[in-house]
């Protein structure tokens, strides 16, 4: 057997040294069913640790035991503020969730959700088992697709500065026109993004709008006007992607990029969780 | 939601082809920092130090981010996952 060891029951896990006393904590990747099948080879966890399936009733949790010095609240605060470390943690977290999601529905956990020990994870699962079971069945056979739309520059945009304005008044007039047309373009792009979103949301089971990404983070100089996630039935994913891509060709003014499929991160939340 | 199709088994013989790989970090951060379930229990250790995560991401944008990208932030640039993370995601249906 590889590195995956399934636990019989969370209640019996407190005695194996995996607790706060041993200087470890338990990192939660995702909630799934207790019947989850996980294929070998398992990816390493965020601490390079083996990932395990912990069972609690009908639910299962993909977890890993991490060393507290590196995962204490204090260290995490530092590590998540370091872009390289943050990237490593996020990618390792994602890799495990994707691996679990390959074979069964998952409710992905937010990055850096830690528990004292296995028993604490089991208790949290049991406490929220109705809500989590409902989510699992709602997310089953569905996937998340991301759609980002950027405002594209049109060819007929006026040159940036007027060449040698005849007078101050001429300069002001030209500058006003320039500003007005920039505003019009942005309004048009926003309207386009709204129309695109409505159309895609109608093809999806649910939609979630993320805030458009900072240009420096997206690495794209064009203004992002839509950054959304859609929960789509698996068998409609193909037509959804086609529609999103065709939209830009047919309507113009926007450049559309589809990402995914993702585990359903954007659609996993406890009742009342904000 | 309306179910017009027969629910599929998890083992879909024709899963959709991935659209693009690898995953861009910024898209991943949108998701793992601002969304994803948070299951509280009585003995949750730090619950992500959720507040701390956001605080330090603000610091990230003002320090690591700009220097990494070789530009100074301007007021209109500041946005994206960091601000949203502070506000919290929208609840799923």
């Amino acid at each position: 057997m590889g590195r995956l060891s399934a636990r019989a029951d969370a209640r019996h896990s407190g005695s194996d040294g995996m607790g706060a006393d041993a200087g470890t904590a338990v990192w939660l990747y995702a909630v799934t069913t207790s019947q989850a099948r996980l294929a070998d080879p398992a990816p390493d966890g965020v601490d390079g640790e083996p990932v395990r399936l912990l069972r609690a009733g009908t639910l299962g949790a993909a977890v890993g035991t991490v060393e507290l010095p590196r995962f204490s609240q204090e260290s995490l605060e530092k590590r998540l503020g370091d872009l390289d470390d943050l990237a490593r943690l996020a990618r390792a977290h994602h890799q495990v969730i994707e691996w679990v999601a390959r074979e069964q529905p998952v409710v992905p956990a937010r990055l850096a959700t830690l528990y004292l020990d296995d028993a604490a994870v089991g208790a949290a699962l049991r406490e929220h088992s109705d809500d989590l079971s409902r989510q699992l069945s709602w997310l089953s056979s569905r996937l998340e697709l991301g759609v980002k739309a950027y405002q594209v520059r049109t060819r007929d945009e006026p040159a940036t500065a007027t060449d040698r304005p005849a007078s101050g008044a001429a300069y002001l007039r030209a500058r006003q026109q320039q500003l007005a047309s920039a505003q019009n373009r942005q309004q048009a792009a926003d309207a386009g993004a709204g129309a695109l979103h409505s159309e895609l949301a109608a093809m999806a089971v649910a939609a979630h709008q993320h805030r458009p990404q900072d240009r420096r983070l997206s690495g794209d100089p064009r203004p992002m006007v839509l950054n959304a996630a859609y929960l789509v039935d698996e068998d409609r994913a193909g037509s959804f992607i086609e529609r999103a891509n065709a939209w830009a060709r047919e309507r113009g003014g926007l450049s559309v990029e589809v990402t995914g499929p993702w585990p359903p991160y954007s659609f996993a939340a406890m009742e009342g969780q904000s | 939601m309306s179910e017009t199709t027969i629910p599929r088994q998890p083992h879909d013989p024709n899963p959709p082809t991935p659209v693009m790989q690898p995953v861009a970090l910024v898209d991943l951060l949108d998701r793992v920092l601002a969304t994803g379930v948070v299951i509280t229990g009585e003995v949750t250790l730090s619950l992500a130090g959720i507040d701390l995560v956001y605080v330090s991401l603000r610091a990230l944008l003002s320090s690591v981010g700009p220097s990494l990208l070789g530009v100074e932030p301007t007021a209109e640039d500041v946005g994206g996952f960091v601000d949203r993370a502070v506000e919290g995601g929208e609840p799923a249906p």
Side-chain angles (χ1 to χ4, degrees):
Chain A
M1 164 73 240
R3 34 174 64 114
L4 180 74
S5 58
R7 303 205 155 264
D9 192 298
R11 278 173 303 184
H12 303 308
S13 63
S15 58
D16 63 359
M18 294 193 192
D21 294 342
T24 60
V26 177
W27 177 289
L28 175 66
Y29 295 92
V31 176
T32 181
T33 70
S34 61
Q35 304 302 312
R37 299 181 348 147
L38 302 173
D40 276 330
D44 282 344
V46 290
D47 199 20
E49 89 285 2
V51 177
R52 306 172 280 125
L53 181 72
L54 186 154
R55 298 192 171 101
T58 58
L59 296 173
V63 298
T65 301
V66 296
E67 297 291 325
L68 260 192
R70 291 190 291 274
F71 286 84
S72 67
Q73 194 157 325
E74 199 183 38
S75 330
L76 266 182
E77 184 188 0
K78 284 198 197 100
R79 298 181 59 189
L80 295 169
D82 176 276
L83 190 56
D84 291 338
D85 224 346
L86 173 65
R88 264 196 300 278
L89 289 170
R91 288 197 186 283
H93 184 68
H94 173 64
Q95 203 178 5
V96 171
I97 295 171
E98 252 195 343
W99 169 68
V100 180
R102 230 176 270 163
E103 303 269 354
Q104 52 265 315
V106 297
V107 179
R110 192 172 295 188
L111 190 74
T113 304
L114 288 154
Y115 298 83
L116 278 174
D117 53 21
D118 284 359
V121 181
L125 291 188
R126 286 173 206 283
E127 197 181 323
H128 300 283
S129 90
D130 288 351
D131 193 356
L132 290 166
S133 301
R134 226 182 355 259
Q135 286 192 57
L136 275 175
S137 81
W138 184 64
L139 295 170
S140 177
S141 298
R142 293 176 170 155
L143 42 86
E144 174 176 337
L145 291 169
V147 176
K148 297 184 285 183
Y150 302 87
Q151 180 183 341
V152 288
R153 221 165 243 285
T154 46
R155 289 287 155 230
D156 55 354
E157 277 179 35
T160 39
T162 48
D163 309 315
R164 290 204 176 269
S167 65
Y171 169 79
L172 281 179
R173 250 194 324 275
R175 181 72 184 131
Q176 274 166 356
Q177 274 169 7
Q178 209 176 70
L179 290 174
S181 90
Q183 203 177 9
N184 287 342
R185 280 197 306 279
Q186 202 197 320
Q187 278 170 358
D190 286 343
L196 171 63
H197 177 66
S198 303
E199 196 168 326
L200 294 180
M203 296 180 74
V205 176
H208 177 94
Q209 291 211 47
H210 292 279
R211 180 169 295 187
Q213 291 161 356
D214 183 307
R215 282 180 221 186
R216 286 166 303 130
L217 294 172
S218 71
D220 195 307
R222 301 168 299 176
M224 187 181 286
V225 289
L226 179 69
N227 182 19
Y230 302 89
L231 186 69
V232 181
D233 284 328
E234 259 175 17
D235 49 10
R236 298 190 72 184
S239 51
F240 181 94
I241 294 167
E242 249 169 57
R243 190 70 210 105
N245 288 326
W247 204 91
R249 284 198 302 274
E250 291 164 14
R251 300 280 295 267
L254 296 181
S255 163
V256 176
E257 189 185 316
V258 183
T259 65
W262 297 89
Y265 290 109
S266 305
F267 302 96
M270 301 301 290
E271 271 171 14
Q273 176 185 324
S274 65
Chain B
M1 92 198 112
S2 66
E3 293 290 352
T4 53
T5 55
I6 298 162
R8 290 189 156 198
Q9 295 304 307
H11 305 283
D12 185 348
N14 299 303
T17 317
V19 181
M20 59 174 282
Q21 295 292 342
V23 165
L25 181 63
V26 63
D27 294 335
L28 183 56
L29 293 180
D30 268 343
R31 289 168 168 79
V32 298
L33 292 175
T35 62
V37 75
V38 179
I39 308 160
T40 53
E42 271 183 38
V43 281
T44 303
L45 179 60
S46 77
L47 196 62
I50 285 291
D51 292 333
L52 294 171
V53 171
Y54 297 160
V55 168
S56 75
L57 281 169
R58 282 219 146 152
L60 162 76
L61 187 67
S62 59
S63 56
V64 181
S67 61
L68 181 88
L69 296 155
V71 290
E72 286 303 314
T74 63
E76 69 182 274
D77 281 336
V78 178
F81 66 86
V82 177
D83 280 352
R84 185 186 49 266
V86 172
E87 290 160 9
E90 294 158 31

